[in-house]
Amino acid sequence: MIATELSQTFVDRLQKSLAALNIPADWIGLRAVKDASTTRAVRDGMPETNGTSFTQGVMVEVLVNGQIGYGATNSFSQASLQIAAQAAYQQAIAASQWKIHPISIAERPKVIGQYVSPVKKPFDALSPGEINDLLIQICQKLKVSDQIVQTTAAAYTREIETWFVSSNGSEVYQKFATITTDYAATAQDGPIVQRRTNNGWLAHCYQGGLELLITPHLWDTVQQIGEQALELLTAAECPTTTTTLVLDPDQMLLQIHESIGHPLELDRILGDERNYAGGSFVKPQDFGQLVYGSPLMNITFDPTVPGEFASYRFDDTGAPATREYLIREGVLMRGLGSLESQARTGLAGVACARACSWNRPPIDRMANLNLEPGNASFEEIISGIEHGVYMQANRSWSIDDQRYKFQFGCEYAKLIENGKLTQTLRNPNYRGTTPQFWNSLSQVGDRSTWKLYGSPVCGKGEPNQVIWVGHGSPICAFTNVEVFGGGA
Amino acid sequence: MNADRLALLEASFNQLVEAICAEAAAGEYLTLKLTSERSQFVRFNHAKVRQTGEVADGWLRLTLMKDQRTSYREFPFTGESKLDWRQACTALEELRQEVPQLPIDPYLVLPSEVHQSREVNLGQLLAPESVASTLLATASGLDFTGIYAAGLLVRAYADSSGQKHWFATDSFALDYSLFNAEGQAVKGMLAGSEWDESAYIAKLHESKAQLEQLTAAPPKPISRGQYRTYLAPAAVAELVGMLSWGAISEAAMQQGGSALALLQQQEKRLSPKFTLRENFQYGLVPRFNELGEMAPLDLPVIVDGVLVNTLINGRTAKEYQKIPNGANSSESLQSPEINPGRLSAEKILADLGTGLYVSNLHYLNWSDRPTGRITGMTRYACFWVENGEIVAPIENLRFDESLYRFWGDNLVDLTDFQEFIPEVGTYENRNLGGTWVPGMLVEDFTYTL
């Protein structure tokens, strides 16, 4: 309740600031952010980074003549807000004769509500020294051999508070607590270098508190990371062949992100992003009819999953967040498009206008994008494969500007022979094209194989923004995929 | 920003530095790093405005070092003295609580040098309210998309040992693409401190001509395989950028994470035609790093194919008993330059003969870092060339190739001219500087999809 009372006080303060702005606009919104992120990182048992970054500021959005201009300031003083609002107004006026789309107040709906991340153990439950001690112990446990030449352990915590008030009566307060952990071991034997991490770089990221730092299987997991890094030094190279590919959820997160999430962003389809990250092979007329993948494929946009990294109740324009199917039984149904993109395209979208902070405008973004579980157990999937490769944990990612041709690499793989996992493989990579790949989806794991991961570093937009996304997936199998190994 | 407002900002920073450093107790070392900007961002699509706004931002990183332990706090720098002072005091108080709890950091480097520097470059930028009309009136009728970002940038450093550096510059970057109806595109960039309308018009005219060339024939699908390839300077700059991600860093070298380890161990070699240096003589980026250390004006990195220097910051130097060379905390290239070769612009197509002309690359990543293998995509105006003549644009291709091949035995030549490829990134803040690179002609560049 304390947080609620404080947030209401700040909402009241922002409302007063908004009312005091002297701007002849059709609509004004203030989106305030306070964001404190703490980094604790240890390498080889020695402290590498300790520190906290605190940023705060307000984005003033002003709607004039159907054009929004924004002014952002890192000061909450009324004078600074007035300067920001004035700049926003002038920007909107100057651009209004060149606007790409007339924006209406409907694209900034009136909303009132709150959201608070679920936290069991607050971030101050452990002291900075205790967290460092834990990370040092993790490094020590990772070093299972002298051939482990580097160990790293890091914990990143973040508390973000956002407030949104507007001249049409919106009052939103959201408080996010997130934690990301990352552990890695690098093994070396002469020119052979192999790195193993905890399900991929920064993949363990969630909403919650320190209960997610010391997890029940932490020490077994850490031991396994070190042992598998060592194991990879003498593992066989991934063969070059076309075969059945089984992906663990820790690689599925990347596959979903790059080849489903980004191509379905309506602003990419509208061309906004063509100068930077690119467009999309998906066209507006594809919605409702394109067979994106096999009938086993069900993709949801779901910011309502408790604890998933990018859960929220409202996006950064105030649109209420709901769970929606983007792809149902393989057919493309809906895009990742905000209220603005929905108005521009006439297509159904989701509440996905998100900004990375107070100093960037909201754009179409993934939030939680999940592949729904199927019916097959892990054993059933593997036992049905005569020859294949089972890959885990992303280590390399690259896809074209239309999100069509991709090549991804993983840390660790197992050969599948006659329904059994056999030898370990190193440098596993695969490549393909998006529609062909998803149409080759032949098995979708059941709920027991479904795992939640995410990424805190999804880059997009001009000006550039890094935002956090969540991805849940079961283990999946794909037929006739090109796989290959490393080497020059 | 005008000179008066900049002077106020500098005075405010100096006042805060003086006051907070006076608070340093015996055995305490304080450093302050300032990152500040006043920016206008105008985003375009279809020669219309998609989003437009201004951002006034700035933050300070206050680092406390004591008893071989350290931590930092970052907090907003607003230029409002009382507010900034209050936040600085809170930060110092928190650090004094935290630092004693932390483990000893054996590689901690205390500020010890006494460098001071001051560079201010006030330019002539477009008035914010005239950006849309100035750019879009000229781009009328074109499918013009991209971003104009402009304003003042400040980087500053000070510490309790008396070092102080101030770097302020006006800058703009226009980063755009022109598209045709088939979705093919050309890329254009303009950057600097002085807006020059005639340069913009000329650049747009050049892009338009390239787009017409792209439209002259339908895209040609190219089968995967190895092709003789000309990589234009913008494409080469993308490849150079990979060296800042686990390659040229001494720490990466020592910790098993460098793509150039085989070069250092002399297991692999690069072409004697390849020379890379850090050249700060262009003056577009500050030479001081997070510890106030100054990088040399000119640091050869790879000379005639031989690795002569890695990038070493003070922390890495202390850990591995090396001599620091002013590298930043991530030991990344800040002002890279590749020496030109002998290939003249007029002879590019003739010397390419039959193969691929690649103007830009996209979304690069290591596909096998220890062997220097990079994958990525061709992008924008790329052409199939036969017998020295452009035949048709190509459908984008994926490449997967080792730097030990394209900068090694397969490097045929580099152009006798360089281009400046500006750094137009705006993650967290507007970036500075860029890369000076020639184009390069390589044999048997590998395309895989």
Side-chain angles (χ1 to χ4, degrees), chain B residues 153-189:
Chain B
L153 292 173
V154 177
R155 305 283 188 269
Y157 171 89
D159 63 39
S160 54
S161 300
Q163 286 194 98
K164 192 180 287 181
H165 299 284
W166 181 265
F167 180 95
T169 185
D170 278 327
S171 73
F172 77 89
L174 173 64
D175 175 9
Y176 68 88
S177 305
L178 297 185
F179 283 80
N180 66 17
E182 286 71 44
Q184 296 165 296
V186 298
K187 183 78 163 177
M189 285 186 184

Side-chain angles (χ1 to χ4, degrees), chain A residues 39-40 43 46-56 67-75 77 80 87 91-92 94-95 98-100 127-129 132 136 149-150 186 188 191 193 258 270-278 340 344 358-363 395-401 403 405-407 427 429 431-433 459-466 482 484-488, chain B residues 40-58 70-78 80 83 87 98 101-107 128-129 132-133 136-137 143 145-147 175-177 179 187 224 245 255-256 262 265 268 315 319-320 362-368 370-371 373 375-377 379-380 396-398 400 402 424-429 448-449:
Chain A
T39 299
R40 308 219 177 271
R43 178 174 58 79
M46 304 294 178
E48 187 91 337
T49 306
N50 277 286
T52 298
S53 300
F54 175 68
T55 181
Q56 66 177 17
Q67 174 70 47
I68 282 181
Y70 62 85
T73 172
N74 63 353
S75 168
S77 73
S80 295
Q91 288 290 303
W98 302 98
K99 60 178 169 281
I100 196 164
S127 71
N132 273 268
I136 288 168
V149 295
Q150 188 200 58
T186 303
Q188 184 167 13
V193 180
E258 302 287 13
L270 284 160
D272 294 352
E273 191 70 19
R274 288 177 298 165
N275 183 59
Y276 182 57
E340 287 182 32
R344 290 167 69 191
W358 57 269
N359 55 12
R360 294 290 185 268
I363 55 176
R395 80 168 193 189
S396 176
W397 60 100
S398 176
I399 189 166
D400 71 23
D401 63 329
R403 300 282 149 169
K405 292 182 177 181
F406 62 81
Q407 177 173 317
N427 301 324
N429 296 277
R431 62 171 80 96
T433 54
K460 186 188 169 185
E462 292 175 311
N464 303 150
Q465 305 192 41
V466 167
E482 280 185 57
F484 55 98
Chain B
Q40 180 188 17
F41 299 113
V42 187
R43 191 178 199 194
F44 307 102
N45 183 15
H46 298 307
K48 301 285 186 186
V49 173
R50 169 66 187 99
Q51 286 172 317
T52 181
E54 293 184 35
V55 174
D57 197 3
T70 186
S71 184
Y72 67 82
R73 286 291 181 278
E74 289 181 349
F75 52 93
F77 178 70
T78 64
E80 297 168 28
L83 176 61
Q87 299 203 100
E98 178 183 324
Q101 303 178 51
L102 299 175
I104 284 176
D105 178 356
Y107 313 124
E129 60 275 13
S133 56
L136 295 182
D143 186 356
T145 178
I147 186 168
D175 175 9
Y176 68 88
S177 305
F179 283 80
K187 183 78 163 177
R224 62 179 81 185
W245 183 15
Q255 294 160 23
L262 296 178
Q265 295 156 11
K268 294 270 190 181
R315 185 177 179 82
E319 181 170 359
Y320 301 106
H362 174 65
Y363 215 140
L364 274 54
N365 204 325
W366 298 109
S367 55
D368 187 17
T371 59
R373 217 172 82 191
T375 187
M377 293 297 302
R379 196 178 184 188
Y380 292 107
N396 281 331
L397 287 168
R398 170 164 297 287
D400 194 349
S402 170
V424 296
T426 49
Y427 285 111
E428 292 194 358
N429 47 264
T448 57
L449 189 61

Side-chain angles (χ1 to χ4, degrees), chain A residues 242-287:
Chain A
T242 298
T243 190
T244 298
L245 173 66
V246 178
L247 294 181
D248 195 85
D250 59 14
Q251 172 60 19
M252 284 299 296
L253 88 93
L254 194 282
Q255 187 70 51
I256 292 167
H257 181 92
E258 302 287 13
S259 68
I260 300 174
H262 282 305
L264 297 193
E265 290 161 346
L266 291 187
D267 63 344
R268 290 182 72 119
I269 294 168
L270 284 160
D272 294 352
E273 191 70 19
R274 288 177 298 165
N275 183 59
Y276 182 57
S280 174
F281 74 91
V282 175
K283 307 298 174 215
Q285 59 271 26
D286 290 337
F287 289 91

Side-chain angles (χ1 to χ4, degrees), chain B residues 114-402:
Chain B
V114 285
H115 296 300
Q116 296 218 350
S117 67
R118 186 175 184 278
E119 285 183 67
V120 174
N121 176 26
L122 292 177
Q124 191 65 45
L125 305 176
L126 277 171
E129 60 275 13
S130 68
V131 169
S133 56
T134 301
L135 297 183
L136 295 182
T138 308
S140 177
L142 299 170
D143 186 356
F144 173 91
T145 178
I147 186 168
Y148 171 88
L152 179 81
L153 292 173
V154 177
R155 305 283 188 269
Y157 171 89
D159 63 39
S160 54
S161 300
Q163 286 194 98
K164 192 180 287 181
H165 299 284
W166 181 265
F167 180 95
T169 185
D170 278 327
S171 73
F172 77 89
L174 173 64
D175 175 9
Y176 68 88
S177 305
L178 297 185
F179 283 80
N180 66 17
E182 286 71 44
Q184 296 165 296
V186 298
K187 183 78 163 177
M189 285 186 184
L190 268 183
S193 297
E194 307 276 340
W195 175 258
D196 179 348
E197 180 118 21
S198 61
Y200 168 60
I201 292 169
K203 187 73 184 171
L204 205 59
H205 185 74
E206 180 187 317
S207 298
K208 198 175 165 185
Q210 286 177 347
L211 191 66
E212 284 165 3
Q213 189 179 26
L214 204 57
T215 309
K220 178 182 170 67
I222 304 290
S223 303
R224 62 179 81 185
Q226 294 183 331
Y227 297 98
R228 191 172 168 95
T229 298
Y230 172 72
L231 294 148
V236 177
E238 288 286 332
L239 294 169
V240 171
M242 291 298 290
L243 297 178
S244 290
W245 183 15
I248 205 66
S249 149
E250 179 63 28
M253 201 70 83
Q254 295 283 346
Q255 294 160 23
S258 172
L260 293 178
L262 296 178
L263 183 66
Q264 191 185 52
Q265 295 156 11
Q266 299 182 340
E267 297 280 331
K268 294 270 190 181
R269 58 179 189 173
L270 296 182
S271 166
K273 295 169 184 162
F274 185 75
T275 291
L276 167 71
R277 61 194 340 107
E278 272 277 76
N279 188 348
F280 286 91
Q281 296 180 83
Y282 293 105
L284 295 183
V285 293
R287 282 172 60 201
F288 56 87
N289 67 8
E290 292 85 346
L291 275 173
E293 300 162 343
M294 298 287 275
L297 268 176
D298 188 356
L299 179 74
V301 178
I302 297 171
V303 177
D304 301 335
V306 177
L307 182 70
V308 295
N309 278 300
T310 54
L311 298 183
I312 309 171
N313 63 32
R315 185 177 179 82
T316 300
K318 188 168 185 180
E319 181 170 359
Y320 301 106
Q321 296 84 52
K322 299 283 180 180
I323 298 169
N325 51 26
N328 60 14
S329 59
S330 58
E331 298 181 333
S332 57
L333 292 162
Q334 297 175 81
S335 194
E337 177 175 29
I338 291 183
N339 283 8
R342 295 181 175 178
L343 178 62
S344 66
E346 299 74 33
K347 289 190 68 185
I348 290 170
L349 290 178
D351 280 19
L352 172 58
T354 296
L356 291 165
Y357 182 108
V358 174
S359 68
N360 295 79
L361 296 174
H362 174 65
Y363 215 140
L364 274 54
N365 204 325
W366 298 109
S367 55
D368 187 17
R369 192 183 313 210
T371 59
R373 217 172 82 191
I374 298 168
T375 187
M377 293 297 302
T378 65
R379 196 178 184 188
Y380 292 107
C382 300
F383 298 94
W384 174 249
V385 176
E386 280 182 16
N387 301 317
E389 299 284 339
I390 287 179
V391 174
I394 62 164
E395 291 178 359
N396 281 331
L397 287 168
R398 170 164 297 287
F399 72 90
D400 194 349
E401 184 58 281
S402 170

